[in-house]
Amino acid sequence: MESDAAFDTLLDGRVRLHQPRAGYRAAIDPVLLAAFTAAGAGERVLDVGTGTGAAALCLAARVPGVVVVGLEKRAEAAAFARRNAALNGLESRVGVLEGDLLAPPPELVPGIFDRVMMNPPYLRAGAASVPPDPWKAAANVEGEAGLADWVRFAAVLLKPRGTLTMVHRADRVDEILAALHGARFGSLTLVPLWPKAGEEARRILLAVQKGGRSPARFTAGLVLHGPDGAYGGQAQRILRDMEPLIA
C-alpha cells in the first residue's frame, strides 16, 4: 500500500491521512461534515461510507471522548481508514467495519448510535458517466444504494431522537428532503455553503432528528472564500483551527 499512497493533512496538520496516490482524495467536504456534527464526549457516531476515514478522524480529533465507527464497502478503502486511525493514535476511538449498507455487518445493531454522519455519492446512478478509476466512481456516483437507501439506513441505526448530518449537492435538495420525510426525519437545519458571497450554493450541510417535529431552519450559511479566493475567516477557523460549525 505504501507505494500507492500519498500523504495528506487536514485541520492544519492535526489529522494525517494516507490516501491513494491516484484517484479520489478527500477535500474539505468531510472536514465540514465533521465540524457540523455536534457530537459530545461519550456519544457513539456512525460514519457511513467512511472512505479513508477523513470525517471520522476529524470528528475524533475535535471531540475528545467521542467514539466513531466507520462503515466502508471497499476493502482497500477500509484498510486505509484503519491505517489512518492508527497513524493518528485514534484507533481506540475510531473503528472501521467493512460492509455494505444494503447488507450491513452484524455488529451494526439497530438503534445504537447517537449520531450518523454521511457524505454520499453526489451523482445519481445512470445520470452521469462513471469514472474509470474505481475510487472516484464509488465516491462520486451512486451504486446499488441510492440516496433514499442511505437515509433509511441512518434511520435504522439511530436511537430515537438521534441526529443525522449530511453534506450533499444543493441541486438535489428536493430529493434529499423527500427521502428524509419518507424516513420520518424532522427538525431540519440546512446550511448553504456559498463558494463566495453573491454566488449560488453548490453544496449544503443539513442536520435532521429521527422523529423530530420542530420547524425547519434554513440558516444564513457559510461563505467559503473571500474575493481573493482564500478561505474566509469562519471557514478558515473551521478548516484549520477545529472550530465547530454551529448553525
Side-chain angles (χ1 to χ4, degrees):
M1 183 186 295
E2 190 72 40
S3 62
D4 296 329
F7 183 74
D8 297 299
T9 62
L10 301 171
L11 296 176
D12 201 27
R14 294 177 180 88
V15 170
R16 297 172 293 166
L17 283 180
H18 284 292
Q19 302 194 92
R21 191 176 301 280
Y24 175 82
R25 286 160 65 182
I28 68 169
D29 287 359
V31 185
L32 295 172
L33 175 63
F36 188 55
T37 301
E43 289 191 337
R44 289 172 56 83
V45 180
L46 176 64
D47 180 23
V48 186
T50 196
T52 58
L57 293 168
C58 286
L59 180 62
R62 183 174 62 81
V63 184
V66 72
V67 175
V68 188
V69 176
L71 176 66
E72 176 52 49
K73 181 178 180 179
R74 293 161 294 150
E76 187 179 4
F80 267 97
R82 293 189 188 98
R83 180 185 182 190
N84 287 328
L87 176 67
N88 288 276
L90 291 170
E91 64 268 41
S92 65
R93 293 194 291 117
V94 178
V96 180
L97 296 175
E98 185 182 330
D100 189 335
L101 65 88
L102 295 177
E107 295 93 333
L108 293 181
V109 179
I112 64 170
F113 289 96
D114 300 285
R115 299 178 188 273
V116 172
M117 60 182 184
M118 58 176 62
N119 180 183
Y122 287 153
L123 302 174
R124 298 182 191 89
S129 299
V130 178
D133 179 82
W135 285 83
K136 287 185 177 180
N140 294 331
V141 184
E142 292 173 352
E144 293 181 5
L147 180 57
D149 297 308
W150 285 69
V151 171
R152 283 192 293 267
F153 179 67
V156 170
L157 272 292
L158 279 168
K159 296 177 179 178
R161 304 295 176 180
T163 301
L164 165 65
T165 48
M166 181 192 304
V167 59
H168 216 294
R169 284 170 59 116
D171 60 6
R172 294 189 70 183
V173 69
D174 52 347
E175 184 180 352
I176 294 168
L177 295 179
L180 293 171
H181 179 74
R184 300 186 181 277
F185 280 105
S187 304
L188 167 73
T189 298
L190 190 146
V191 181
L193 299 174
W194 315 109
K196 292 183 179 179
E199 294 186 0
E200 292 187 3
R202 300 173 188 170
R203 302 278 190 270
I204 56 168
L205 288 163
L206 63 85
V208 284
Q209 188 179 58
K210 182 178 177 177
R213 297 186 178 183
S214 300
R217 295 175 56 234
F218 283 60
T219 75
L222 174 66
V223 178
L224 295 173
H225 301 97
D228 61 355
Y231 288 119
Q234 184 184 6
Q236 189 171 123
R237 293 192 299 273
I238 291 167
L239 297 172
R240 297 180 183 173
D241 301 331
M242 296 201 300
E243 182 176 287
L245 201 173
I246 301 173

